[in-house]
Amino acid sequence: MLTVDEVAGWPEEPLALAARQARDTGRTLRTEVTGARAELTRLKRWHGRAHDAAAHRLAQEADHAEEIARVLAAFADTAAAAGTELAAGRDTVMRLVGEQSGIRADGKDRAIDTAEDSAQPDAKVRAALADLDGIDRRRASELSRLSADLDAMVHGHVTVATPEGRRDPDGIVNRLVALTPEQRRDLLRRMSSGDVDRVVAANPQVVGNLDGVPFGVRIVANRRSIEEALEAEISRGAGDGPRAHQLRAMLGTIPDPHHPGRRVRRQFITFANTKAGRSIEMFGAWSSQTRGAAVYVPGTGTKMDSAGANRTAAWNFANRSGAPVFLYMDGQFPPNLAAAASPGFATSMAPNLVGFSRALDAEVADHAPGAATTYIGHSYGGAVVGTAEQLGLRADRVVYASASGTGVLPGGADAWVNHDAAQRYSVTPPGDPIQPVQSSGAHGGDPDNAPGVTRMDSGDYSNGERVRGVHGHGAYFDDPGSDAFKNMVAVIRGEPVTPYVEREPDMPRPG
């Protein structure tokens, strides 16, 4: 096991140099291969079999180099994470040693009973050393495996073990695409974690967006995809642009919503670097205490580069409910109110949401059996959720929050496939500008009046001001202390809600 003297001699930032060198090597490799392919393209007068053979060979080497660069990126990422964990563990050990040897946190001496006490690590120090030793061994194993992969890749593609024998990782990716989500999950479950990582390295953009691939694997794959998207922004000279800024933030950390005193990496279940950006971000984690999970679908104008308020709301849902919460932005939202009149955005997004609901059910079965799932659709996001219900969304609870309707397909709420299988709630403040849209039936009808839907009270903000009017359409999502937000949290937790109290008409009476 590690000793205090060994830990005390560690550098300030363990493995920082190794992480930086691995990342820089990967960048250099990509740059050189890109340059070689560009050089071949510039030889416009060269034709014939030799040219075609060179182009084919270069394409093969480019694919191989890309896989090596991804393994180098994985090594860099693992080394950086290991360094952070090791530094934190070292600091804990040295703090405890300082306390044992009589130096208090305030710099004053603390009495020591005997010389023997000061010479031997006490129980707290020994426990901290044991924890740190475990981290050290686990991270060393991960880095050793990645180093072995790099050594093997010098001589060509590595293969992975499957139930049918050893296969090329690219072939496994192609096979995953052709399988059903259930078949994907079964195949990956029967492979080692190291081989699954090799499949991720072959094509993280594909693996990270396949329903049926376990969320933990998708999170790793999408981190690779985000890193590569950032590299692409830098390469095209947009390294200081808003998208690059957003991608760097996505690779960073946030306070853990379940334990705000510590920071955790952000987690993405899907990611696509489209113009508006597409993603599903997970806030929180599964645990033995998990009793629910929630999916929050925001509304008009949602884009990856400007979704800060939506992320904060999702974080607050996770923090207040204790459940993992998924911010669902996996699609094209209406860019403005004029575009929101179209049902096309909902019909485009809803099928993917149905697929995600099945993927989420599989994760719940693996990590939190019996936990209830809740889907919250805000504004146009309510029309997306309602349309997904018309297509077979599997949910235990659904909340229509200032929702524009119950689904844009014919039949509205009457066309919900699992009509009696879920508890449904709505919350719409009086004077909310969505009220006329609800009444028009353009998106399927008013969820507040739909059969089987419990309308919850919108009440007041945390400062005592009434939730109402234009501001009330979304401001309660920004105030976790508001009555409306607390009601939505109660739904996620499976607790009683406060029913709607009419204090004024929903819409001003004419005349």
Side-chain angles (χ1 to χ4, degrees):
M1 193 176 80
L2 291 170
T3 66
V4 172
D5 286 343
E6 288 173 332
V7 171
W10 284 0
E12 184 65 25
E13 297 181 354
L15 296 171
L17 179 60
R20 187 164 55 252
Q21 288 177 335
R23 200 171 301 281
D24 289 346
T25 301
R27 287 193 182 112
T28 300
L29 184 60
R30 282 194 173 104
T31 299
E32 292 298 324
V33 171
T34 300
R37 299 189 78 172
E39 194 63 36
L40 182 62
T41 302
R42 279 194 288 268
L43 299 174
K44 298 184 181 298
R45 295 185 178 181
W46 185 24
H47 303 283
R49 292 183 180 180
H51 170 275
D52 294 345
H56 178 70
R57 180 63 176 173
L58 190 52
Q60 289 179 320
E61 292 303 319
D63 180 66
H64 185 46
E66 187 63 31
E67 290 186 12
I68 294 174
R70 285 171 178 154
V71 176
L72 284 165
F75 184 97
D77 203 38
T78 302
T84 299
E85 292 181 3
L86 293 171
R90 174 204 58 208
D91 292 347
T92 297
V93 168
M94 300 315 297
R95 175 179 56 79
L96 292 172
V97 169
E99 291 174 357
Q100 178 195 356
S101 58
I103 306 299
R104 301 191 326 191
D106 58 9
K108 296 180 180 179
D109 290 341
R110 180 176 60 79
I112 300 175
D113 293 335
T114 67
E116 182 179 355
D117 287 339
S118 63
Q120 299 295 326
D122 65 12
K124 289 183 179 179
V125 174
R126 290 195 299 272
L129 281 169
D131 289 343
L132 186 54
D133 189 70
I135 293 171
D136 188 41
R137 292 175 184 275
R138 174 173 57 84
R139 289 301 192 177
S141 176
E142 293 172 0
L143 291 169
S144 294
R145 199 250 317 151
L146 289 166
S147 295
D149 280 356
L150 288 168
D151 288 341
M153 293 174 84
V154 170
H155 305 291
H157 291 275
V158 296
T159 59
V160 298
T162 73
E164 295 79 24
R166 300 200 70 84
R167 297 289 186 271
D168 181 85
D170 289 308
I172 298 300
V173 173
N174 294 335
R175 184 178 173 190
L176 288 171
V177 172
L179 295 176
T180 66
E182 293 75 17
Q183 291 169 331
R184 291 168 191 152
R185 201 172 193 89
D186 180 63
L187 173 60
L188 293 173
R189 185 180 283 122
R190 291 189 289 163
M191 295 173 61
S192 72
S193 59
D195 280 337
V196 171
D197 286 346
R198 294 177 184 105
V199 172
V200 169
N203 198 327
Q205 288 82 7
V206 170
V207 176
N209 291 297
L210 286 176
D211 284 334
V213 174
F215 284 5
V217 177
R218 293 173 70 171
I219 288 167
V220 171
N222 286 313
R223 186 171 179 85
R224 298 282 87 75
S225 295
I226 294 166
E227 289 174 340
E228 291 180 18
L230 177 57
E231 291 291 334
E233 291 295 307
I234 294 171
S235 296
R236 72 182 187 89
D240 293 325
R243 175 54 57 88
H245 175 78
Q246 185 59 241
L247 293 169
R248 287 189 182 92
M250 292 167 74
L251 293 169
T253 62
I254 56 172
D256 183 341
H258 301 336
H259 307 279
R262 69 186 186 194
R263 297 188 68 85
V264 292
R265 283 182 169 182
R266 294 175 66 179
Q267 309 171 94
F268 292 89
I269 311 302
T270 67
F271 168 77
N273 196 34
T274 60
K275 183 177 180 181
R278 295 174 62 164
S279 68
I280 302 173
E281 184 169 4
M282 180 179 180
F283 294 84
W286 308 107
S287 74
S288 59
Q289 285 76 46
T290 298
R291 296 293 177 266
V295 179
Y296 163 38
V297 185
T300 298
T302 298
K303 295 188 297 184
M304 190 167 70
D305 294 345
S306 57
N310 300 127
R311 295 186 185 101
T312 300
W315 190 95
N316 283 321
F317 277 131
N319 175 251
R320 295 299 178 101
S321 69
V325 173
F326 300 84
L327 175 58
Y328 190 91
M329 302 193 302
D330 190 23
Q332 175 66 55
F333 289 88
N336 50 50
L337 291 177
S342 168
F345 296 95
T347 55
S348 175
M349 290 183 66
N352 285 343
L353 183 58
V354 174
F356 179 72
S357 74
R358 294 168 183 158
L360 179 57
D361 282 348
E363 290 291 313
V364 168
D366 279 352
H367 299 287
T373 56
T374 299
Y375 289 76
I376 301 172
H378 176 234
S379 193
Y380 195 93
V384 174
V385 171
T387 307
E389 287 218 71
Q390 293 174 320
L391 295 174
L393 178 76
R394 218 298 305 167
D396 295 299
R397 303 168 192 138
V398 182
V399 177
Y400 290 90
S402 294
S404 62
T406 57
V408 302
L409 300 178
D414 292 335
W416 288 337
V417 171
N418 300 313
H419 205 291
D420 299 324
Q423 297 174 308
R424 294 180 177 85
Y425 304 84
S426 69
V427 55
T428 313
D432 187 326
I434 205 70
Q435 300 269 8
V437 180
Q438 294 175 338
S439 299
S440 73
H443 290 167
D446 188 346
D448 295 329
N449 300 323
V453 175
T454 299
R455 185 175 182 181
M456 302 185 295
D457 196 29
S458 50
D460 298 335
Y461 296 110
S462 57
N463 65 2
E465 180 185 342
R466 183 66 37 80
V467 179
R468 63 176 307 282
V470 174
H471 189 62
H473 177 64
Y476 58 91
F477 275 86
D478 303 328
D479 183 356
S482 67
D483 292 329
F485 198 96
K486 288 190 286 188
N487 261 333
M488 292 188 287
V489 169
V491 173
I492 298 172
R493 293 176 61 87
E495 297 173 348
V497 302
T498 304
Y500 178 67
V501 177
E502 184 174 359
R503 301 175 180 86
E504 61 179 289
D506 279 342
M507 292 187 288
R509 294 189 176 95

